[in-house]
């Protein structure tokens, strides 16, 4: 079953013992375990060992950090997806009780194992699609941080989940907030979903100086500590564009019901407006451990390591409309969410390539949204693409960014 705006059963009405952990801890596969989401996931798991057990940890190249995690968490499997990086692992580096597998194909197989109850999809970028797809194909419950999966192939992914009886639960904090708020009403009662955005490090920076932004400046996020790619996406506000598309497919919402508001404190993680005008918001400090735990424990809740709001301190919540001139990426997100089809895949690939080039010092900050707009406008749109069409256009969009840079 895919996540929909249908409210799940009220946990409070379930059996009186429903807040207790089940007899056996849930086996969790953490894909991208060495990243920002991956390490927070291991903190959540470590704090609730009676509920969760790390069955599999996977990373690409960060072998040293991965082996540290293996020694601490003792998973049954460790997967290194980059064979070159795996070649450097010496005999005896893996403790007894853990087995090593290498390559993305091995990961696709291992997420399907019966011992895997929940899959945390936290690989960054388009590379996360294949293992998320494999997990859904095997009918697993997937805690989805890798928004790119839905941005690229939302309709196909949601159809697969429905066909295989798999469940997708959001880890992205905005979508987690929306998922929680949607439990208060029925889909036909929802009039608007409002995603909050911190505004990033350049919320107040004048337009004239945006072309001069350096990677170091863009990597300094005011409220969230995240991996480099999503941090740059937050600075351009392309992250919000990707999240609009993610919400479009995850909650089956038409584009016109989706809105963005800038909220610099990152305490209100998103809001849902219902037919009577009531707006429900989810609040908590900016800490990904809460949405991660929500996706692992859903439909139940329990105490965990995430920070809590302290209402004894002054708490100020500001909201302002996003600036479409300084942050043109948001318009691209609205457009891609409304048009659907191949737009998400093309926008995602162009952005991923452009962010890489900006970080390498080969593109200006403002070039990112500009080249994305060009590539999106110039692509051969298809309304109902296959996975092969998506892969082909992903490669095409990346080449276009390279060509644009050289032009
Ligand atoms: P990160 O860069 O910190 O970590 C990425 C992880 O993916 C690492 O473990 C890395 O080894 C692995 N990886 C990279 N390339 C890979 C490949 N080709 N094959 C297999 N594994 C690969 O990234 P992050 O910030 O943790 O973000 C992960 C995902 O979660 C992204 O899709 C991001 O948009 C999403 N997300 C992150 C946050 C956050 O707070 N960091 C919040 C919301 C959503
Ligand atoms: Mg987010």
């Amino acid at each position: 079953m895919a996540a929909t705006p249908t409210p799940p059963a009220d946990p409070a009405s379930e059996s009186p013992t429903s807040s207790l952990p089940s007899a056996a801890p849930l086996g969790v596969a953490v894909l991208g375990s060495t990243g920002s989401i991956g390490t927070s996931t291991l903190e959540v798991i470590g704090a609730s060992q009676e509920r969760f057990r790390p069955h599999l940890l996977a990373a690409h190249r960060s072998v040293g950090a991965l082996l540290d995690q293996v020694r601490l968490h003792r998973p049954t499997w460790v997967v290194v997806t980059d064979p070159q990086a795996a070649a450097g692992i010496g005999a005896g580096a893996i403790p007894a009780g853990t087995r090593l597998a290498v390559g993305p194909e091995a990961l696709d197989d291992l997420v399907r194992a019966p011992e895997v109850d929940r899959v945390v999809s936290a690989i960054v970028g388009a590379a996360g699609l294949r293992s998320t797809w494999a997990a859904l194909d095997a009918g697993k419950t997937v805690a989805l941080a890798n928004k790119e999966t839905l941005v690229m192939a939302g309709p196909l992914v949601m159809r697969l989940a429905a066909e295989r009886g798999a469940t997708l639960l959001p880890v992205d904090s905005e979508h987690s907030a929306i998922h929680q708020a949607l439990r208060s009403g029925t889909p036909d009662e929802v009039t608007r979903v409002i995603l909050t955005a911190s505004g990033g490090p350049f919320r107040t920076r004048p337009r004239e100086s945006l072309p001069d932004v350096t990677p170091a400046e863009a990597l300094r996020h005011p409220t969230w500590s995240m991996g480099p790619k999503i941090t740059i996406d937050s600075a351009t506000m392309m992250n919000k564009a990707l999240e609009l598309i993610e919400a479009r497919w995850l909650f089956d919402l038409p584009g016109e019901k989706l809105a963005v508001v800038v909220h610099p404190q990152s305490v209100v993680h998103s809001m849902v407006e219902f037919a009577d005008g009531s707006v429900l918001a989810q609040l908590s400090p900016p800490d990904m451990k809460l949405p991660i735990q929500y996706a692992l424990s859903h439909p139940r809740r329990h105490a965990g390591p995430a920070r809590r709001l302290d209402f004894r301190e002054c708490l100020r919540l500001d909201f302002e409309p996003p600036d479409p001139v300084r942050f043109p990426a948001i318009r691209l997100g609205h457009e891609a969410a409304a048009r659907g089809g191949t737009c998400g895949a093309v926008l995602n690939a162009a952005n991923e390539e452009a962010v890489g080039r900006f970080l390498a010092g080969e593109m200006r900050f403002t070039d990112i949204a500009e080249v994305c707009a060009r590539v999106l406008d110039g692509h051969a749109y298809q309304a109902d693409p296959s996975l092969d069409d998506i892969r082909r256009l992903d490669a095409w969009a990346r080449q276009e960014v390279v060509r644009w840079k050289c032009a």
Side-chain angles (χ1 to χ4, degrees):
M1 189 192 72
T4 69
T6 313
D10 178 2
S13 67
E14 292 174 16
S15 91
T17 56
S18 64
S19 62
L20 295 175
S22 54
L26 293 178
V28 184
V30 189
L31 317 187
S33 67
T34 55
S36 166
I37 294 291
T39 48
S40 292
T41 301
L42 288 174
E43 266 190 71
V44 170
I45 292 175
S48 294
Q49 293 179 23
E50 72 289 6
R51 290 185 167 85
F52 309 121
R53 197 187 82 77
H55 173 75
L56 178 158
L57 304 184
H60 194 48
R61 291 200 182 117
S62 38
V63 168
L66 183 61
L67 292 182
D68 286 346
Q69 292 180 336
V70 167
R71 284 187 281 272
L72 190 63
H73 293 277
R74 300 301 172 110
T76 308
W77 283 98
V78 56
V79 184
V80 178
T81 49
D82 179 16
Q84 269 188 338
I89 300 178
I94 312 278
T98 298
R99 296 173 68 186
L100 170 70
V102 177
E105 298 81 7
L107 183 58
D108 296 352
D109 283 345
L110 287 167
V111 293
R112 296 169 177 271
E115 295 84 1
V116 174
D117 299 299
R118 300 227 167 175
V119 176
V120 178
S121 164
I123 289 171
V124 61
L129 173 62
R130 59 181 293 170
S131 47
T132 310
W133 185 275
L136 293 172
D137 189 45
K140 301 294 181 191
T141 295
V142 175
L144 185 74
N146 179 265
K147 65 191 84 186
E148 294 90 346
T149 289
L150 282 175
V151 173
M152 293 171 74
L156 294 173
V157 167
M158 297 310 288
R159 203 179 310 149
L160 177 74
E163 281 169 9
R164 298 288 193 253
T167 301
L168 261 177
L169 292 163
V171 166
D172 220 345
S173 55
E174 295 76 3
H175 305 72
S176 179
I178 295 163
H179 194 273
Q180 295 177 60
L182 287 173
R183 292 168 83 166
S184 296
T186 58
D188 61 318
E189 291 169 348
V190 174
T191 46
R192 230 161 24 124
V193 164
I194 303 124
L195 283 87
T196 53
S198 70
F202 311 126
R203 184 173 61 86
T204 57
R205 183 156 169 155
R207 184 185 177 189
E208 308 74 61
S209 69
L210 284 176
D212 307 325
V213 160
T214 64
E217 287 175 307
L219 284 169
R220 236 175 276 131
H221 196 278
T223 49
W224 292 100
S225 159
M226 310 179 285
K229 194 260 179 182
I230 185 174
T231 305
I232 301 301
D233 287 348
S234 299
T236 56
M237 295 195 76
M238 187 63 82
N239 185 46
K240 221 40 60 179
L242 303 181
E243 290 182 353
L244 284 166
I245 306 166
E246 180 185 11
R248 156 85 190 87
W249 302 122
L250 184 63
F251 302 116
D252 191 21
L253 289 162
E256 63 271 16
K257 285 194 178 176
L258 293 166
V260 173
V261 66
V262 173
H263 165 51
Q265 290 87 1
S266 301
V267 165
V268 173
H269 295 297
S270 277
M271 301 176 270
V272 175
E273 182 197 76
F274 291 92
D276 56 2
S278 191
V279 175
L280 295 193
Q282 184 262 331
L283 283 71
S284 54
D287 182 345
M288 290 306 294
K289 290 193 281 295
L290 180 56
I292 291 167
Q293 179 171 310
Y294 177 81
L296 287 177
S297 68
H298 180 269
R300 304 202 168 85
R301 294 179 187 268
H302 56 80
R307 287 182 286 129
R308 286 165 190 255
L309 287 175
D310 183 352
F311 288 100
R312 292 166 307 181
E313 290 173 6
C314 289
L315 177 62
R316 209 184 128 157
L317 304 176
D318 295 310
F319 299 93
E320 62 196 40
D323 179 346
V325 177
R326 287 184 308 129
F327 299 103
I330 295 196
R331 180 186 64 77
L332 302 181
H334 279 295
E335 183 188 323
R339 289 185 75 202
T342 44
C343 288
V346 168
L347 179 60
N348 180 66
N351 177 58
E352 219 169 291
E353 187 67 32
V355 168
R357 290 185 177 268
F358 168 68
L359 285 173
E362 297 167 5
M363 254 186 192
R364 287 180 312 175
F365 181 74
T366 42
D367 290 341
I368 299 174
E370 195 182 330
V371 69
C372 285
R374 292 271 187 93
V375 175
L376 189 60
D377 281 351
H379 92 278
Y381 175 80
Q382 284 174 252
D384 192 14
S386 67
L387 217 45
D388 278 345
D389 296 330
I390 285 170
R391 288 199 191 100
R392 192 174 39 76
L393 274 168
D394 177 285
W396 172 85
R398 288 169 200 267
Q399 279 169 10
E400 287 300 294
V401 173
V402 177
R403 267 171 22 113
W404 184 83
K405 194 213 122 205
C406 298

